[in-house]
Amino acid sequence: MSKRSAVTLSIKPVELKKVANTKSISDYFGINTFNEAAMKKLVSERTFNAFKLWQEGGAVVSAAQADEIAHAMKEWATERGATSYTHWFQPMTGLTAEKHDSFISFTSSSTVIEKFTGTKLIQGEPDASSFPSGGIRSTAEARGYTAWDPSSPAYIAEVAGGKTLTIPTIFISYTGEALDKKLPLLRSDQALNKAALELLRLFGNETSKNVYSTCGPEQEYFLIDESYYRLRPDLVLAGRTLIGAPSPKGQQMEDQYFGSIKDRVLNFMFDVSEEAFKLGIPVTTRHNEVAPHQYEFAPIFEKSNLAADHNQLLMDIMKKVAFRHGLVCLLHEKPFAGINGSGKHLNWSLADDKGSNLLNPGDSPEENLQFLTVLTAVIHAVYTHADLLRAAVASAGNEHRLGANEAPPAIVSIFLGEQLTRIVGQIEAGKLTKGKKQAIIDLGVSQLPKFPKDTTDRNRTSTFAFTGAKFEFRAVGSAQNISTGIAVINTIVADSMLLLVDKIKAEVKKSGFEGAVLKVLSAAIKDSKNILWEGNNYSEEWVKEAAKRGLPNVASTAEALKALVTPKAIALFEKHSVFSKVELKARYHIWLETYERLIDIEAKALRDIVNTQVLPQAYEFQSELSAGVVEMKELAEEAGVTFVDGAVEDRVEALEKVAEEIFYIRKNIKQLDAALVKIQAEGLEKKTALLFSEVKPQMEHIRKHVDAIEAVLPDEFWALPKYWEMLFIK
Ligand code: ADP
Ligand code: MG
């Protein structure tokens, strides 16, 4: 019996775990976080207030206050069993990074005590010279600093064997450049705040003090049994299957979506939720997705920077908890060919400090006008910077989704739904230019408000869809850090808001306030309406139409990333102090390099698997077939056995077919090797372009032949877990 069959037989259904914990969620929600309530209890009122002011954008707490907070944090953490602390950050590659230090210090009498100071809390210097900086740091000045981000609460990370006080930080170079994904997000929220406040003031709101973006990322993922995972080097090394014949049953029955969840998976989901709740991550919904063994977690939305931290943490928790259940959580965007991939729908909106949502249409016409201005700013922003949105989600994994006939295409477009489309059409036609309240009501704008979710129709194929009182950016990949996507959305929307506000101000004298608003919005809609598309984004029709409209459609990651370093992008990000030119170039370089390394790993993994786990088995089968042919001929000639007409030829045909597949696999592997060698001489840009245009198609080609062999090889010869097993044995 093959190893994989042994695994298949050993997987037994598990029982639903008896929930011993009858505590209600509110009893332990956030219990492992040093949140406001915890801090308030342990520091003086003055220090607490100073901290709050700092959090809201005021001055940094004093050194003495930082010491007080650090001491409180340490007391709180050690009481809960933590022995060390770490500055946790989000480098430009990979998931997250941390460097652990213990709390101990020596006293003057050389005895060990537990101590944690404000200096250590606020700033760290991980020996992090191996993190990519994209040329920002030369090795000579390889220092990188982590700095406490007070907007995200510290928490206790529980791992077997110990607990660690974990402090969310940003990661910067000696010269202050962002070396992480978090700082640009924080900066973009500031830009958004500034622009949105100007917009609110223009509409007579003098009281809101703060506007920030909100975000709720819906996290899709696959689970597979850990024993299968271990037998698939491609999953271990590349996160996705590089070969694998399709299962006769895939997702065509659509019997999985929202279906009842298997007990083993439910146990996993309960555990993930519990871990998430302890860290204050508001995970709410969990359900089956479209593809077999694919699922989703969705949180309640939060301020973007917190949502981004929480999403990183959630992915980490999911991976760790899966192992406890003998499962592996696959976050890759496309683990299985021919089966839906995984994305991360990024729900995005803006709210002010009073909690009102700026993308909520509101009840009165004045508010509607404000809403329509925000809406127009988003439309204008997405149209003007579609290339940046595409760049923000560009990665080797996501390349399998975007532009590959699957949700959503590489073309960025906006879906508004019937109601909003009608209203935007009216604005464009300038019918509101009369500017009187009455005119607005006449045109039905006042009927806008409710937008109960059910009346905004659904378009699952859209890249950027209005869904109720928020937009949903659906092109984000399941494994990606959402920070970059949020930073881009925040920045481009801030820019368009300022543009509209300035134009309205310039027009007021001539046209009156409402007249000016409508005139400016009308012009902006006329400019950017090419981005609006209500139809099916997967259709050939849209690809053609988008080309006619001149919308970018970039399938290649390397090509898409170029948008980060255009003069347009550099001017935009520098204007809003989100990225400097140096920081943009660094990111461009690092992300190209990441792409290059990943495809190189995939190509080599494919070659090795084919050479060691496909061809040897195929040779063996070929020998068996040859022996069979020889035997049949001998039997016919020497023992007078008569086979039915064509039987011998048929066996010869089977043999020839296997020999042919072997021949093509080997030929293509040799070409793959040659291509990998050839591109070594090229610079990074050319190399990544060639990986996309030559190496990846070559890998696909090999896969086609390997999958054909898998489909005819005797079951016991095939050691790699098959699609039907990985996807349906739970
Ligand atoms: P839908 O049915 O449109 O997918 P849900 O209510 O299920 O909407 O929400 C999907 C995600 O959108 C959730 O994570 C939710 O918290 C988030 N969300 C809802 N409102 C907002 C908002 N104002 N800003 C950001 N995210 C939001
Ligand atoms: Mg959704």
Side-chain angles (χ1 to χ4, degrees):
M1 189 169 33
S2 70
K3 279 187 257 175
R4 45 162 267 275
S5 296
V7 168
T8 299
L9 290 176
S10 74
I11 298 173
K12 298 276 187 289
V14 300
E15 277 185 26
L16 199 60
K17 207 170 65 175
K18 297 265 178 312
V19 186
N21 191 348
T22 48
K23 279 184 297 191
S24 53
I25 295 167
S26 57
D27 286 341
Y28 67 98
F29 189 82
I31 196 167
N32 279 352
T33 62
F34 189 68
N35 52 22
E36 273 182 23
M39 187 183 298
K40 206 168 181 174
K41 265 190 234 154
L42 294 168
V43 302
S44 69
E45 202 180 324
R46 262 186 83 170
T47 300
F48 181 76
N49 290 337
F51 173 79
K52 286 297 293 172
L53 278 177
W54 178 27
Q55 236 186 2
E56 283 155 20
V60 182
V61 293
S62 71
Q65 285 165 336
D67 272 340
E68 192 185 338
I69 296 174
H71 179 72
M73 232 185 231
K74 187 216 73 186
E75 291 293 297
W76 172 84
T78 45
E79 203 172 280
R80 284 159 180 77
T83 49
S84 56
Y85 71 95
T86 180
H87 277 194
W88 179 83
F89 58 100
Q90 302 173 18
M92 288 191 271
T93 55
L95 278 180
T96 54
E98 45 199 68
K99 177 198 171 216
H100 297 223
D101 281 300
S102 77
F103 284 126
I104 55 169
S105 309
F106 283 112
T107 63
S108 48
S109 56
S110 297
T111 49
V112 165
I113 57 156
E114 258 113 19
K115 193 172 168 199
F116 188 48
T117 61
T119 330
K120 283 184 177 166
L121 166 64
I122 288 189
Q123 186 176 313
E125 189 186 348
D127 176 20
S129 46
S130 299
F131 286 108
S133 76
I136 287 177
R137 295 174 307 169
S138 61
T139 350
E141 41 177 68
R143 282 163 190 244
Y145 294 102
T146 49
W148 182 26
D149 168 16
S151 57
S152 184
Y155 60 91
I156 292 178
E158 291 181 274
V159 283
K163 295 183 179 182
T164 306
L165 170 66
T166 308
I167 300 155
T169 61
I170 54 163
F171 185 37
I172 47 176
S173 73
Y174 184 59
T175 41
E177 273 107 2
L179 293 174
D180 69 351
K181 292 182 176 153
K182 181 75 180 287
L183 181 55
L185 164 58
L186 295 174
R187 291 173 179 162
S188 76
D189 241 353
Q190 273 182 17
L192 185 72
N193 176 39
K194 219 166 122 214
L197 281 181
E198 277 204 32
L199 190 148
L200 289 186
R201 301 288 182 257
L202 181 71
F203 284 89
N205 175 333
E206 294 295 336
T207 50
S208 296
K209 283 192 282 200
N210 236 312
V211 176
Y212 49 86
S213 59
T214 53
C215 177
E218 301 168 59
Q219 177 71 51
E220 290 180 338
Y221 60 100
F222 281 87
L223 292 174
I224 65 162
D225 193 274
E226 189 189 343
S227 320
Y228 287 140
Y229 176 80
R230 292 192 185 285
L231 291 174
R232 297 272 331 196
D234 46 1
L235 282 178
V236 174
L237 299 176
R240 73 182 184 100
T241 54
L242 299 168
I243 54 174
S247 161
K249 182 180 176 185
Q251 62 193 47
Q252 67 271 54
M253 299 300 288
E254 296 180 346
D255 51 0
Q256 142 99 2
Y257 192 45
F258 276 64
S260 73
I261 303 172
K262 276 265 174 342
D263 288 350
R264 184 178 187 200
V265 175
L266 265 180
N267 287 343
F268 160 82
M269 288 176 169
F270 284 141
D271 275 5
V272 169
S273 302
E274 193 173 306
E275 294 294 330
F277 292 151
K278 284 199 263 178
L279 293 180
I281 305 171
V283 168
T284 54
T285 55
R286 37 179 188 234
H287 61 75
N288 283 349
E289 263 301 327
V290 176
H293 234 342
Q294 189 190 29
Y295 311 91
E296 177 187 297
F297 274 117
I300 297 176
F301 69 94
E302 301 175 278
K303 279 189 182 177
S304 288
N305 65 325
L306 206 53
D309 278 8
H310 281 169
N311 182 246
Q312 292 299 112
L313 274 175
L314 180 67
M315 288 193 284
D316 208 40
I317 293 172
M318 286 160 64
K319 285 183 163 182
K320 284 180 180 157
V321 170
F323 279 116
R324 278 192 227 154
H325 295 269
L327 294 163
V328 172
C329 173
L330 302 176
L331 291 171
H332 193 283
E333 283 79 8
K334 193 76 177 174
F336 303 100
I339 300 283
N340 272 9
S342 299
K344 183 143 53 190
H345 293 175
L346 188 62
N347 294 271
W348 176 93
S349 188
L350 345 83
D352 68 7
D353 50 319
K354 294 182 203 142
S356 57
N357 179 349
L358 273 61
L359 277 173
N360 198 338
D363 292 325
S364 61
E366 289 89 337
E367 278 169 3
N368 284 336
L369 223 45
Q370 178 191 304
F371 160 75
L372 289 175
T373 308
V374 176
L375 180 75
T376 304
V378 176
I379 295 172
H380 180 266
V382 173
Y383 172 70
T384 313
H385 300 290
D387 59 337
L388 285 176
L389 286 169
R390 172 66 184 89
V393 296
S395 73
N398 216 17
E399 197 170 79
H400 294 279
R401 296 173 66 231
L402 309 178
N405 291 327
E406 196 197 311
I411 309 162
V412 175
S413 72
I414 290 183
F415 169 85
L416 290 177
E418 214 183 293
Q419 210 167 4
L420 272 192
T421 298
R422 188 159 30 84
I423 287 154
V424 164
Q426 290 170 359
I427 299 174
E428 188 206 345
K431 285 188 189 161
L432 304 180
T433 47
K434 280 174 205 104
K436 292 279 169 298
K437 272 186 184 177
Q438 208 46 43
I440 296 163
I441 292 165
D442 283 350
L443 285 161
V445 178
S446 67
Q447 282 141 22
L448 262 178
K450 291 300 171 231
F451 277 94
K453 206 172 281 168
D454 317 21
T455 67
T456 21
D457 22 359
R458 293 265 147 184
N459 183 335
R460 293 178 58 88
T461 68
S462 175
T463 346
F464 211 91
F466 188 78
T467 48
K470 59 183 161 65
F471 274 95
E472 194 168 328
F473 184 31
R474 300 217 182 90
V476 185
S478 49
Q480 290 178 320
N481 185 320
I482 58 175
S483 302
T484 308
I486 301 171
V488 168
I489 300 176
N490 284 352
T491 311
I492 63 177
V493 171
D495 195 63
S496 291
M497 279 180 168
L498 288 181
L499 189 96
L500 295 183
V501 168
D502 284 350
K503 285 193 173 166
I504 292 170
K505 281 181 180 164
E507 185 64 33
V508 169
K509 255 205 191 123
K510 206 161 108 203
S511 314
F513 183 66
E514 285 175 7
V517 171
L518 294 169
K519 196 163 169 187
V520 169
L521 297 194
S522 167
I525 295 287
K526 278 202 183 93
D527 268 0
S528 24
K529 68 176 179 185
N530 271 348
I531 200 78
L532 303 176
W533 175 250
E534 297 290 295
N536 179 359
N537 283 254
Y538 302 168
S539 67
E540 209 28 58
E541 177 202 358
W542 173 230
V543 175
K544 287 197 190 122
E545 173 64 22
K548 239 198 286 170
R549 295 184 185 188
L551 297 177
N553 180 6
V554 185
S556 142
T557 298
E559 199 57 33
L561 286 171
K562 286 187 179 152
L564 292 176
V565 288
T566 61
K568 180 189 80 148
I570 293 169
L572 170 84
F573 287 119
E574 291 207 320
K575 175 178 163 196
H576 296 281
S577 305
V578 173
F579 289 112
S580 67
K581 184 175 175 179
V582 172
E583 289 171 336
L584 283 169
K585 293 208 156 163
R587 273 156 187 78
Y588 174 60
H589 183 86
I590 290 170
W591 293 339
L592 276 191
E593 208 170 66
T594 306
Y595 181 83
E596 185 232 334
R597 289 174 184 173
L598 285 174
I599 305 295
D600 190 63
I601 291 171
E602 287 191 350
K604 289 175 179 159
L606 175 67
R607 178 194 60 198
D608 291 357
I609 294 168
V610 168
N611 282 338
T612 61
Q613 302 209 51
V614 174
L615 288 174
Q617 281 81 346
Y619 298 147
E620 203 176 329
F621 184 43
Q622 185 187 339
S623 300
E624 280 194 3
L625 285 172
S626 310
V629 169
V630 171
E631 192 180 81
M632 281 173 101
K633 287 193 171 159
E634 275 174 12
L635 286 171
E637 283 162 21
E638 289 164 24
V641 176
T642 48
F643 294 106
V644 67
D645 263 2
V648 177
E649 289 77 5
D650 175 66
R651 196 66 72 86
V652 170
E653 190 189 313
L655 169 63
E656 285 173 348
K657 186 75 196 140
V658 169
E660 183 186 330
E661 294 298 354
I662 291 173
F663 172 72
Y664 282 117
I665 292 170
R666 287 188 45 79
K667 183 173 160 197
N668 284 298
I669 287 282
K670 279 183 261 179
Q671 284 174 1
L672 178 71
D673 267 335
L676 288 176
V677 171
K678 193 183 92 186
I679 65 169
Q680 280 321 307
E682 306 290 352
L684 188 56
E685 281 185 348
K686 185 80 193 291
K687 216 189 265 183
T688 47
L690 288 172
L691 285 170
F692 179 76
S693 64
E694 287 185 18
V695 172
K696 280 187 66 181
Q698 184 69 12
M699 289 171 64
E700 277 315 300
H701 203 72
I702 293 166
R703 175 182 188 141
K704 211 178 65 197
H705 291 292
V706 171
D707 291 355
I709 276 276
E710 181 188 328
V712 297
L713 227 58
D715 192 72
E716 63 184 308
F717 281 27
W718 197 258
L720 295 164
K722 296 192 169 195
Y723 268 33
W724 72 265
E725 292 166 314
M726 292 187 283
L727 292 168
F728 290 98
I729 305 288
K730 302 177 184 179

